[in-house]
Amino acid sequence: HSVLTQPRSVSGSPGQSVTISCSGTGSDVGAYPYVSWYQEHPGRSPKLIIYGVNKRPSGVPARFSGSQSDNTASLTISGLQAEDEALYYCSSYAGTYTYVFGNGTQVTVL
Amino acid sequence: QVQLVQSGAEVKKPGSSVKVSCKASGGTFDTHAINWVRQAPGQGLEWVGGIIPMFGTSTSAQSLLGRVTLTADESTTTTFLELSGLTVEDTAVYYCTTVARFGDGWDHKFDPWGQGTRVIVSS
């Protein structure tokens, strides 16, 4: 059911940076400034970490950042930490009060 | 900050229906839309649908082919997801989450999330 395409996994050593891409279309990612990113640890509910493409909610570390170019959004984790190991999902508003998610990316801290 | 508390786990037979509830506290229905997202075992997140309680209007994913009914009870600030014609593919954890009003529109971000309700469909 995933509409947005993410890499299945990315990995990095502590302190390194990793970037996750989220590829959509001109009907979702490319059409609205409403891409958000969610972090999911096993057994926990997803947590919002980026919204509106590049905004961080209060309490989310500054090492998480978002960007977008045309139909592709990206999440960068700078200065990777052990607790960042989790699943990450992008989501985009797709018009008419509908939304789509990406297939999810497993981030592994080596 | 809105908090969401969902109903407990359900086990259903194929072909039956399930109704899951989500009670909101700490906010008002005037300023939030309630959305539902599900996650099948080992799979990703899938948007199921959303309801704007203030207006009583709802939308749902086309993939669910009209099997979704979303309702809201403003008196108890509780929303309900009913899914009919259950198949084993509907086995998942169902989350409710909010989208908040922002100016004349919506912020289109899912925050916060409920604790999830596990629905198991099995014969």
Side-chain angles (χ1 to χ4, degrees):
Chain A
H1 300 289
S2 301
V3 177
L4 307 179
T5 302
Q6 301 177 230
R8 181 163 293 275
S9 65
V10 298
S11 61
S13 300
Q16 289 187 329
S17 294
V18 295
T19 297
I20 303 168
S21 60
C22 170
S23 217
T25 70
S27 297
D28 38 63
V29 173
Y32 306 97
Y34 296 124
V35 172
S36 51
W37 291 87
Y38 302 87
Q39 178 191 62
E40 185 181 42
H41 284 110
R44 305 279 299 274
S45 299
K47 174 190 172 184
L48 175 73
I49 56 171
I50 293 289
Y51 68 97
V53 176
N54 56 14
K55 300 176 181 62
R56 274 180 297 106
S58 173
V60 173
R63 63 179 183 274
F64 292 95
S65 62
S67 62
Q68 179 182 337
S69 177
D70 296 326
N71 297 336
T72 299
S74 298
L75 172 72
T76 297
I77 310 173
S78 305
L80 200 60
Q81 298 187 8
E83 61 261 36
D84 299 334
E85 185 159 300
L87 271 164
Y88 292 82
Y89 293 92
C90 61
S91 176
S92 175
Y93 180 61
T96 327
Y97 300 102
T98 65
Y99 300 86
V100 292
F101 278 95
N103 51 293
T105 299
Q106 175 67 48
V107 170
T108 300
V109 182
L110 302 172
Chain B
Q1 171 76 321
V2 175
Q3 292 183 313
L4 305 172
V5 178
Q6 300 181 224
S7 51
E10 302 265 10
V11 180
K12 294 292 183 180
K13 299 286 188 188
S16 67
S17 298
V18 67
K19 193 169 186 177
V20 181
S21 69
C22 172
K23 179 172 176 59
S25 60
T28 71
F29 271 1
D30 288 352
T31 56
H32 291 86
I34 304 296
N35 282 259
W36 293 87
V37 176
R38 72 179 182 179
Q39 185 170 38
Q43 303 297 310
L45 301 175
E46 179 187 12
W47 180 76
V48 172
I51 183 168
I52 304 175
M54 181 173 62
F55 301 131
T57 56
S58 65
T59 54
S60 60
Q62 286 196 339
S63 62
L64 291 167
L65 300 173
R67 296 191 294 124
V68 172
T69 302
L70 300 177
T71 55
D73 181 343
E74 290 191 81
S75 68
T76 60
T77 62
T78 301
T79 56
F80 301 90
L81 162 67
E82 184 168 17
L83 186 60
S84 61
L86 291 170
T87 72
V88 294
E89 284 73 36
D90 294 315
T91 294
V93 175
Y94 289 75
Y95 295 100
C96 63
T97 179
T98 68
V99 170
R101 289 293 297 272
F102 184 75
D104 293 333
W106 302 87
D107 62 14
H108 297 302
K109 60 179 171 74
F110 299 125
D111 182 49
W113 295 61
Q115 84 275 21
T117 296
R118 186 173 302 277
V119 174
I120 297 171
V121 183
S122 173
S123 55

